[in-house]
Amino acid sequence: MEDCRWEKITGWQLAGFGLGLAVFVALLLASESGFIFGLDHANLLFHEAGHPFIGLFSARLEPYGGTLGQLVFPVALAVSFWRQGRALAFAASVIWFFENWLNIARYMADARALELPLVGGGDHDWNTIFTRWNVLPYDLNIAGTVKFLGWTGMALVVLWVGWCGWRDRKRPDSIAQFD
Ligand SMILES: [Zn+2]
């Protein structure tokens, strides 16, 4: 990776990012089995938009549309910020991407229990998908793995930000202004 690919992260930005991260993780842990207000509303909105969109192309793939819809916006943002060299905005997008995995895992874990209230009022996505894949009895194991990967992904991004900040500590401000 080129040193100047990303714009410099200042100590203040790093501190702000750390503070935001601490609040975010506290919210995540506090709502471990629940729902983060605001963020998961956005996830839900994108989820519900994803079904009919994918459904336009294939009725068979429609159950996957919600999950894809949830993931496509953080990915699009991450790509955009990556191209602009905005390290912290990129990191926040990737964290949002992996936070979605926790949200998806929560839905997966409900595949047999069928206890979550379903906004769309239709079928339970993961009950449908896991039944199709013949893995319904393993819903909790799969959900556990997805949740673990979500946390791991977020942890790796945070480590990357820390590494960028450490690397940037002596870097002059004048280099790599991308705007
Ligand atoms: Zn759905």
PDB file of all heavy atoms in Angstrom, residues 2-18:
ATOM      1  N   GLU A   2       0.588   2.158  -0.873  1.00  0.00           N
ATOM      2  CA  GLU A   2       1.364   3.400  -0.945  1.00  0.00           C
ATOM      3  C   GLU A   2       1.104   4.256   0.297  1.00  0.00           C
ATOM      4  O   GLU A   2      -0.004   4.351   0.775  1.00  0.00           O
ATOM      5  CB  GLU A   2       0.921   4.201  -2.168  1.00  0.00           C
ATOM      6  CG  GLU A   2       1.105   3.451  -3.455  1.00  0.00           C
ATOM      7  CD  GLU A   2       2.172   4.084  -4.311  1.00  0.00           C
ATOM      8  OE1 GLU A   2       2.413   5.290  -4.132  1.00  0.00           O
ATOM      9  OE2 GLU A   2       2.765   3.384  -5.121  1.00  0.00           O
ATOM     10  N   ASP A   3       2.134   4.897   0.784  1.00  0.00           N
ATOM     11  CA  ASP A   3       2.003   5.711   1.981  1.00  0.00           C
ATOM     12  C   ASP A   3       0.978   6.830   1.818  1.00  0.00           C
ATOM     13  O   ASP A   3       0.282   7.186   2.751  1.00  0.00           O
ATOM     14  CB  ASP A   3       3.358   6.334   2.324  1.00  0.00           C
ATOM     15  CG  ASP A   3       3.886   5.709   3.598  1.00  0.00           C
ATOM     16  OD1 ASP A   3       3.350   4.655   3.988  1.00  0.00           O
ATOM     17  OD2 ASP A   3       4.801   6.280   4.190  1.00  0.00           O
ATOM     18  N   CYS A   4       0.900   7.393   0.632  1.00  0.00           N
ATOM     19  CA  CYS A   4       0.047   8.564   0.439  1.00  0.00           C
ATOM     20  C   CYS A   4      -1.277   8.218  -0.209  1.00  0.00           C
ATOM     21  O   CYS A   4      -1.995   9.098  -0.682  1.00  0.00           O
ATOM     22  CB  CYS A   4       0.786   9.621  -0.384  1.00  0.00           C
ATOM     23  SG  CYS A   4       2.234  10.202   0.482  1.00  0.00           S
ATOM     24  N   ARG A   5      -1.599   6.949  -0.221  1.00  0.00           N
ATOM     25  CA  ARG A   5      -2.883   6.543  -0.781  1.00  0.00           C
ATOM     26  C   ARG A   5      -4.030   7.183   0.022  1.00  0.00           C
ATOM     27  O   ARG A   5      -5.039   7.577  -0.523  1.00  0.00           O
ATOM     28  CB  ARG A   5      -2.992   5.018  -0.733  1.00  0.00           C
ATOM     29  CG  ARG A   5      -4.344   4.466  -1.143  1.00  0.00           C
ATOM     30  CD  ARG A   5      -4.563   4.662  -2.632  1.00  0.00           C
ATOM     31  NE  ARG A   5      -5.947   4.408  -3.007  1.00  0.00           N
ATOM     32  CZ  ARG A   5      -6.956   5.235  -2.794  1.00  0.00           C
ATOM     33  NH1 ARG A   5      -6.746   6.372  -2.193  1.00  0.00           N
ATOM     34  NH2 ARG A   5      -8.185   4.944  -3.200  1.00  0.00           N
ATOM     35  N   TRP A   6      -3.836   7.266   1.322  1.00  0.00           N
ATOM     36  CA  TRP A   6      -4.877   7.784   2.210  1.00  0.00           C
ATOM     37  C   TRP A   6      -4.477   9.155   2.713  1.00  0.00           C
ATOM     38  O   TRP A   6      -3.312   9.414   2.964  1.00  0.00           O
ATOM     39  CB  TRP A   6      -5.049   6.853   3.398  1.00  0.00           C
ATOM     40  CG  TRP A   6      -5.443   5.471   3.017  1.00  0.00           C
ATOM     41  CD1 TRP A   6      -4.610   4.400   2.866  1.00  0.00           C
ATOM     42  CD2 TRP A   6      -6.752   4.999   2.710  1.00  0.00           C
ATOM     43  NE1 TRP A   6      -5.334   3.296   2.495  1.00  0.00           N
ATOM     44  CE2 TRP A   6      -6.651   3.632   2.391  1.00  0.00           C
ATOM     45  CE3 TRP A   6      -8.010   5.615   2.686  1.00  0.00           C
ATOM     46  CZ2 TRP A   6      -7.768   2.866   2.043  1.00  0.00           C
ATOM     47  CZ3 TRP A   6      -9.112   4.843   2.344  1.00  0.00           C
ATOM     48  CH2 TRP A   6      -8.981   3.479   2.020  1.00  0.00           C
ATOM     49  N   GLU A   7      -5.461  10.000   2.901  1.00  0.00           N
ATOM     50  CA  GLU A   7      -5.156  11.300   3.495  1.00  0.00           C
ATOM     51  C   GLU A   7      -4.753  11.083   4.955  1.00  0.00           C
ATOM     52  O   GLU A   7      -5.156  10.115   5.600  1.00  0.00           O
ATOM     53  CB  GLU A   7      -6.329  12.259   3.365  1.00  0.00           C
ATOM     54  CG  GLU A   7      -7.539  11.903   4.183  1.00  0.00           C
ATOM     55  CD  GLU A   7      -8.714  12.859   3.934  1.00  0.00           C
ATOM     56  OE1 GLU A   7      -8.740  13.517   2.873  1.00  0.00           O
ATOM     57  OE2 GLU A   7      -9.579  12.925   4.794  1.00  0.00           O
ATOM     58  N   LYS A   8      -3.956  11.991   5.446  1.00  0.00           N
ATOM     59  CA  LYS A   8      -3.415  11.872   6.800  1.00  0.00           C
ATOM     60  C   LYS A   8      -4.517  11.856   7.853  1.00  0.00           C
ATOM     61  O   LYS A   8      -5.481  12.606   7.769  1.00  0.00           O
ATOM     62  CB  LYS A   8      -2.482  13.056   7.055  1.00  0.00           C
ATOM     63  CG  LYS A   8      -1.845  13.076   8.431  1.00  0.00           C
ATOM     64  CD  LYS A   8      -1.043  14.357   8.602  1.00  0.00           C
ATOM     65  CE  LYS A   8      -0.763  14.650  10.066  1.00  0.00           C
ATOM     66  NZ  LYS A   8       0.402  13.954  10.595  1.00  0.00           N
ATOM     67  N   ILE A   9      -4.339  10.999   8.831  1.00  0.00           N
ATOM     68  CA  ILE A   9      -5.246  10.990   9.981  1.00  0.00           C
ATOM     69  C   ILE A   9      -4.559  11.760  11.099  1.00  0.00           C
ATOM     70  O   ILE A   9      -3.457  11.406  11.522  1.00  0.00           O
ATOM     71  CB  ILE A   9      -5.523   9.554  10.463  1.00  0.00           C
ATOM     72  CG1 ILE A   9      -6.167   8.728   9.351  1.00  0.00           C
ATOM     73  CG2 ILE A   9      -6.411   9.577  11.700  1.00  0.00           C
ATOM     74  CD1 ILE A   9      -6.336   7.268   9.715  1.00  0.00           C
ATOM     75  N   THR A  10      -5.199  12.820  11.563  1.00  0.00           N
ATOM     76  CA  THR A  10      -4.593  13.602  12.650  1.00  0.00           C
ATOM     77  C   THR A  10      -4.947  12.981  13.997  1.00  0.00           C
ATOM     78  O   THR A  10      -5.858  12.155  14.102  1.00  0.00           O
ATOM     79  CB  THR A  10      -5.107  15.050  12.632  1.00  0.00           C
ATOM     80  OG1 THR A  10      -6.503  15.031  12.965  1.00  0.00           O
ATOM     81  CG2 THR A  10      -4.916  15.697  11.275  1.00  0.00           C
ATOM     82  N   GLY A  11      -4.216  13.401  15.016  1.00  0.00           N
ATOM     83  CA  GLY A  11      -4.480  12.901  16.359  1.00  0.00           C
ATOM     84  C   GLY A  11      -5.903  13.194  16.817  1.00  0.00           C
ATOM     85  O   GLY A  11      -6.559  12.371  17.445  1.00  0.00           O
ATOM     86  N   TRP A  12      -6.390  14.394  16.466  1.00  0.00           N
ATOM     87  CA  TRP A  12      -7.756  14.772  16.853  1.00  0.00           C
ATOM     88  C   TRP A  12      -8.788  13.907  16.163  1.00  0.00           C
ATOM     89  O   TRP A  12      -9.776  13.487  16.773  1.00  0.00           O
ATOM     90  CB  TRP A  12      -8.020  16.245  16.520  1.00  0.00           C
ATOM     91  CG  TRP A  12      -7.379  17.175  17.494  1.00  0.00           C
ATOM     92  CD1 TRP A  12      -6.318  18.003  17.259  1.00  0.00           C
ATOM     93  CD2 TRP A  12      -7.731  17.360  18.875  1.00  0.00           C
ATOM     94  NE1 TRP A  12      -5.991  18.684  18.399  1.00  0.00           N
ATOM     95  CE2 TRP A  12      -6.840  18.312  19.410  1.00  0.00           C
ATOM     96  CE3 TRP A  12      -8.708  16.798  19.691  1.00  0.00           C
ATOM     97  CZ2 TRP A  12      -6.909  18.727  20.735  1.00  0.00           C
ATOM     98  CZ3 TRP A  12      -8.782  17.210  21.013  1.00  0.00           C
ATOM     99  CH2 TRP A  12      -7.880  18.167  21.529  1.00  0.00           C
ATOM    100  N   GLN A  13      -8.552  13.646  14.879  1.00  0.00           N
ATOM    101  CA  GLN A  13      -9.489  12.782  14.143  1.00  0.00           C
ATOM    102  C   GLN A  13      -9.510  11.383  14.742  1.00  0.00           C
ATOM    103  O   GLN A  13     -10.563  10.765  14.882  1.00  0.00           O
ATOM    104  CB  GLN A  13      -9.078  12.689  12.671  1.00  0.00           C
ATOM    105  CG  GLN A  13      -9.410  13.945  11.880  1.00  0.00           C
ATOM    106  CD  GLN A  13      -8.823  13.887  10.482  1.00  0.00           C
ATOM    107  OE1 GLN A  13      -7.862  13.160  10.235  1.00  0.00           O
ATOM    108  NE2 GLN A  13      -9.391  14.653   9.582  1.00  0.00           N
ATOM    109  N   LEU A  14      -8.316  10.922  15.098  1.00  0.00           N
ATOM    110  CA  LEU A  14      -8.201   9.595  15.681  1.00  0.00           C
ATOM    111  C   LEU A  14      -8.947   9.541  17.015  1.00  0.00           C
ATOM    112  O   LEU A  14      -9.648   8.573  17.315  1.00  0.00           O
ATOM    113  CB  LEU A  14      -6.714   9.262  15.882  1.00  0.00           C
ATOM    114  CG  LEU A  14      -6.343   7.789  15.906  1.00  0.00           C
ATOM    115  CD1 LEU A  14      -6.761   7.089  14.629  1.00  0.00           C
ATOM    116  CD2 LEU A  14      -4.840   7.642  16.116  1.00  0.00           C
ATOM    117  N   ALA A  15      -8.794  10.613  17.799  1.00  0.00           N
ATOM    118  CA  ALA A  15      -9.474  10.673  19.095  1.00  0.00           C
ATOM    119  C   ALA A  15     -10.993  10.677  18.889  1.00  0.00           C
ATOM    120  O   ALA A  15     -11.737   9.982  19.587  1.00  0.00           O
ATOM    121  CB  ALA A  15      -9.037  11.921  19.860  1.00  0.00           C
ATOM    122  N   GLY A  16     -11.454  11.453  17.890  1.00  0.00           N
ATOM    123  CA  GLY A  16     -12.885  11.504  17.593  1.00  0.00           C
ATOM    124  C   GLY A  16     -13.400  10.155  17.133  1.00  0.00           C
ATOM    125  O   GLY A  16     -14.481   9.706  17.548  1.00  0.00           O
ATOM    126  N   PHE A  17     -12.610   9.509  16.307  1.00  0.00           N
ATOM    127  CA  PHE A  17     -12.990   8.181  15.817  1.00  0.00           C
ATOM    128  C   PHE A  17     -13.085   7.200  16.992  1.00  0.00           C
ATOM    129  O   PHE A  17     -14.044   6.427  17.097  1.00  0.00           O
ATOM    130  CB  PHE A  17     -11.951   7.697  14.803  1.00  0.00           C
ATOM    131  CG  PHE A  17     -12.286   6.374  14.174  1.00  0.00           C
ATOM    132  CD1 PHE A  17     -13.144   6.305  13.077  1.00  0.00           C
ATOM    133  CD2 PHE A  17     -11.734   5.205  14.672  1.00  0.00           C
ATOM    134  CE1 PHE A  17     -13.441   5.085  12.493  1.00  0.00           C
ATOM    135  CE2 PHE A  17     -12.041   3.978  14.094  1.00  0.00           C
ATOM    136  CZ  PHE A  17     -12.893   3.919  13.004  1.00  0.00           C
ATOM    137  N   GLY A  18     -12.087   7.261  17.888  1.00  0.00           N
ATOM    138  CA  GLY A  18     -12.072   6.373  19.046  1.00  0.00           C
ATOM    139  C   GLY A  18     -13.280   6.588  19.940  1.00  0.00           C
ATOM    140  O   GLY A  18     -13.897   5.638  20.428  1.00  0.00           O
TER     141      GLY A  18
END
